[in-house]
Amino acid sequence: MAVSHAANFTIPPQLLEQRGLLLQQEATDLVLAETGEDGRLYLLTPATKLAWQAMKEAASQDGIALLMISAFRSIARQTEIISDKLAEGQQLEDILLVCAPPGYSEHHTGRAIDIATPEDPELEISFDTTTAFVWLQNNARRFGFQMSYPPGNSSGFQYEPWHWCFQS
């Protein structure tokens, strides 16, 4: 059975099976972790917020600026993102290489953070050439974070050096 959404698309069940994608529980216990310069509110689980703050402070002490550019995202918001990309003319198969199907994004859990640094454009693979990325590779595990989508990841998503998830 295909996974249908209130929007104008259906996720083929074979895609979910082939890529081994797992349903992600949408978090209900969320706290404000940060407010972006644009006024955007970034929500995380309480434990993830504490781990993020500790990691961000440690990085700062080492001269590294870590910027949160995405955190909790509801299933409804994930559906909107994919619908918007389809409306722009992108193909569903291409979208699903860079965007998880609704219900399957780690962002639903309130434990995933997309990270940038002032020197690098947001959500670009070139993030892996920054000192912030090197710092994360060497230190993120101490704070409970791991990069979810390294090159050649089993989920079939493009390499996302900016996407880190707290493992509680």
Side-chain angles (χ1 to χ4, degrees), residues 27-161:
T28 56
D29 184 17
L30 296 165
V31 295
L32 179 62
E34 288 187 11
T35 301
E37 291 181 7
D38 59 358
R40 185 173 173 191
L41 303 178
Y42 294 108
L43 304 175
L44 295 171
T45 66
T48 305
K49 174 188 175 178
L50 292 175
W52 164 251
Q53 288 174 330
M55 184 169 73
K56 185 176 177 178
E57 175 60 28
S60 179
Q61 289 175 3
D62 289 342
I64 304 293
L66 299 179
L67 305 175
M68 182 184 303
I69 57 172
S70 185
F72 171 77
R73 187 180 309 137
S74 70
I75 292 171
R77 178 66 184 125
Q78 194 78 5
T79 301
E80 288 174 14
I81 289 169
I82 292 175
S83 292
D84 290 349
K85 290 177 181 290
L86 287 167
E88 293 170 0
Q90 296 182 39
Q91 296 298 308
L92 183 61
E93 297 76 23
D94 296 331
I95 295 167
L96 296 177
L97 295 175
V98 298
C99 191
Y104 294 84
S105 173
E106 287 184 337
H107 287 287
H108 301 331
T109 69
R111 296 183 294 107
I113 301 173
D114 289 343
I115 301 171
T117 188
E119 310 83 67
D120 194 65
E122 297 177 356
L123 306 177
E124 296 291 337
I125 291 175
S126 60
F127 179 72
D128 72 0
T129 65
T130 66
T131 56
F133 179 74
V134 172
W135 189 93
L136 286 165
Q137 283 191 302
N138 293 328
N139 295 281
R141 277 202 192 279
R142 288 191 297 138
F143 300 94
F145 286 92
Q146 70 178 32
M147 182 177 40
S148 300
Y149 306 115
N153 65 80
S154 62
S155 298
F157 290 113
Q158 83 164 16
Y159 170 42
E160 294 188 357

Side-chain angles (χ1 to χ4, degrees), residues 18-31:
Q18 288 169 349
R19 291 178 46 189
L21 299 180
L22 302 174
L23 275 172
Q24 300 291 326
Q25 183 71 36
E26 192 172 70
T28 56
D29 184 17
L30 296 165
V31 295

